[in-house]
Amino acid sequence: MSFHTSVHISAHREGQLVRLLQGAMVGILVIGLWQGNAGIAVNASVGLLVTFLPPFFERNYRITLNVGIVLWITVAMFLHAFGTLSLPALGFLSLYKSTWWWDHVTRALSSSIVAGVAYAAIRALEEHTEYIVMPPKFMFVYLLLFVMAFGVIWELIEFYVAAVSNLLGIGKVLTQYGLDDTILDLFYNTIGGLLVAIFGTAHLTDLSDQLRMRMESENR
């Protein structure tokens, strides 16, 4: 069952939403450049770049993502980029600074994408070789551990990027708010991985099969 069937949204409508959100991220990027705000510009440009990875893989590697998965990725990237904007309605604060749960939502969404990639890759390897066997319970644990490990690496990246930004005297591209915030970030990263482990694997089977066929074609 595809994503658009389960939530009653047509694939065409999902494609329109993807393009709309990409256009919005272009607008956010322009705002960041106009304001000279490195944080807004970099986050918007990176998010926009990620949304163009699915057509890149389809064009160069013949790996096609379900449009629902593309929408899932695009929504996560848009919410992150939008959260960096300073909004007049919020006293010119960003959603990240003014809304306590915004960071948690974007963390969970982003980590769910990481978990999805991890699942698709290991499932393809499992079907490609007899040396890897991943029973359902072990797959569940693997996804959670992978997301937690990635979360720790990301927190370290945030710390060093913030430190370099301070040394260079440029706007903050990534921000850390202390140890308590880091613990919460890791918790919501785990929530994202948990959601994929419970509900998302059925929607990633087709991607796994394409990765497996790609591996087999390269080994011939």
Side-chain angles (χ1 to χ4, degrees), residues 143-165:
L143 288 177
L144 293 184
L145 292 177
F146 188 95
V147 169
M148 290 175 67
F150 186 88
V152 171
I153 293 172
W154 183 255
E155 292 298 322
L156 290 172
I157 292 173
E158 280 191 341
F159 174 80
Y160 286 112
V161 168
V164 171
S165 298

Side-chain angles (χ1 to χ4, degrees), residues 82-96:
F82 185 69
T84 63
L85 283 176
S86 298
L87 302 175
L90 300 174
F92 291 96
L93 293 174
S94 68
L95 284 163
Y96 275 116

Side-chain angles (χ1 to χ4, degrees), residues 115 118-124 126 132-146 193 197 201 208:
Y119 171 80
I122 198 65
R123 174 72 184 274
E126 181 184 19
I132 297 177
V133 179
M134 300 285 283
K137 290 183 179 180
F138 191 80
M139 177 71 79
F140 185 88
V141 174
Y142 156 77
L143 288 177
L144 293 184
L145 292 177
F146 188 95
T201 53
S208 298

